[in-house]
Amino acid sequence: MNQLHILPYEIGNLDTLTLDRLFQFIGTLLAIFIFTKFVDKTSFISIGLHLKHRTIDIIAGFFLGILIMVIGCFSLFYLHEIELNYNTHINKSAIAYSFIFYTFVAFMEEVLCRGYVLGQLLNVYDKYLSLIITSIFFAALHMFNPNIGTIPLLNLFLAGVLLGITYIHTKNLWFPIALHLSWNFFQGPIFGFGVSGFSSYSIVEQVRTKDNYINGGHFGFEGSLLGSLLMLISIFIIDWYYRRKTVR
């Protein structure tokens, strides 16, 4: 779900890329702040950043990202699609920089794609149509990533739906921010998948038996049909939960 290349083991590059992403993060938030205040005449926090009573959303979003990656990684392992090798020496600096980097990625992309774009569309269109439009936009942002293809693009669209499905019911960003962060962080630096086509330092090093649409190949888990299935299941369960809650 991110668009920058993190070269393995090169802490200087991680340092530079994290700083670069920080400036993008600040620039994006500043632009949205200006639009909300002077164009929309509303507060920046109103796009979905209210924190009160949202601790459970942050925990649930973070846990769901971990759960999907754990199920995905070990399912592929037991299907003999990948082999797993554990680094005996963990580069703590690389992991720390990666976590900070993906925090900026998650916060920036969710504020832009879900908080502002989806929030604006919800004022005009049906919530599910708004979600579809925003998910197409989210996938389009990654169209020039390396190793992109039909399944990766489909999964990026599904990722947009998964990240936005709670927002159309709650208009709060903390669940998708936490999910986006844990998805990227555990996908790349922990379990060793590519992250939207880009490599990263990881605690677990993967060896694919053969690149295919089951394991996602060079694109990573977001290029796998297993990823498609797990996202569809998650989307269905979350939407069912909120629909049921609304009926009550």
Side-chain angles (χ1 to χ4, degrees):
M1 299 177 189
N2 83 302
Q3 301 180 22
L4 292 179
H5 182 43
I6 302 178
L7 296 175
Y9 305 100
E10 296 188 21
I11 304 305
N13 286 332
L14 276 169
D15 189 358
T16 302
L17 286 173
T18 301
L19 184 61
D20 178 69
R21 184 60 75 168
L22 171 61
F23 288 129
Q24 292 182 44
F25 168 79
I26 293 172
T28 300
L29 264 59
L30 181 60
I32 294 174
F33 173 80
I34 292 171
F35 270 89
T36 53
K37 183 173 179 63
F38 297 105
V39 178
D40 304 323
K41 307 296 183 182
T42 186
S43 66
F44 175 71
I45 201 171
S46 69
I47 66 174
L49 293 171
H50 294 286
L51 258 174
K52 190 175 181 180
H53 305 308
R54 293 298 172 179
T55 302
I56 189 65
D57 290 351
I58 296 172
I59 294 172
F62 201 82
F63 176 76
L64 178 59
I66 298 172
L67 181 64
I68 290 174
M69 288 305 147
V70 168
I71 293 173
C73 183
F74 288 99
S75 294
L76 292 174
F77 175 74
Y78 285 112
L79 288 170
H80 304 291
E81 288 291 333
I82 60 174
E83 296 177 3
L84 303 176
N85 300 309
Y86 300 91
N87 277 319
T88 55
H89 173 70
I90 297 175
N91 191 327
K92 295 178 182 178
S93 296
I95 295 300
Y97 273 117
S98 295
F99 187 83
I100 295 169
F101 177 84
Y102 286 124
T103 298
F104 289 146
V105 169
F107 204 100
M108 182 179 70
E109 291 189 358
E110 291 313 306
V111 167
L112 173 62
C113 295
R114 258 60 64 178
Y116 194 76
V117 176
L118 180 54
Q120 291 294 312
L121 289 172
L122 287 172
N123 294 327
V124 181
Y125 301 111
D126 169 80
K127 59 186 178 182
Y128 291 103
L129 176 59
S130 300
L131 180 59
I132 290 170
I133 294 171
T134 311
S135 300
I136 293 172
F137 170 68
F138 182 71
L141 290 177
H142 301 78
M143 280 187 65
F144 299 104
N145 283 28
N147 306 301
I148 197 71
T150 303
I151 299 301
L153 274 175
L154 170 63
N155 281 352
L156 286 165
F157 168 79
L158 290 177
V161 175
L162 177 58
L163 290 165
I165 193 67
T166 60
Y167 189 84
I168 65 172
H169 293 289
T170 68
K171 292 192 176 179
N172 192 275
L173 285 171
W174 292 108
F175 181 92
I177 288 172
L179 171 57
H180 200 148
L181 168 58
S182 64
W183 175 286
N184 277 347
F185 183 68
F186 280 84
Q187 179 178 208
I190 302 300
F191 290 124
F193 289 103
V195 181
S196 297
F198 295 99
S199 61
S200 66
Y201 169 83
S202 60
I203 292 175
V204 177
E205 293 182 351
Q206 287 190 20
V207 178
R208 293 180 298 276
T209 54
K210 183 174 68 172
D211 289 345
N212 55 45
Y213 285 128
I214 303 299
N215 58 43
H218 288 292
F219 197 80
F221 189 69
E222 292 163 8
S224 74
L225 291 173
L226 179 59
S228 309
L229 176 63
L230 292 176
M231 282 190 282
L232 284 169
I233 292 171
S234 300
I235 291 166
F236 174 81
I237 292 173
I238 293 170
D239 191 52
W240 171 81
Y241 169 79
Y242 279 106
R243 282 173 174 269
R244 185 167 171 266
K245 191 176 181 180
T246 301
V247 171
R248 284 185 175 182

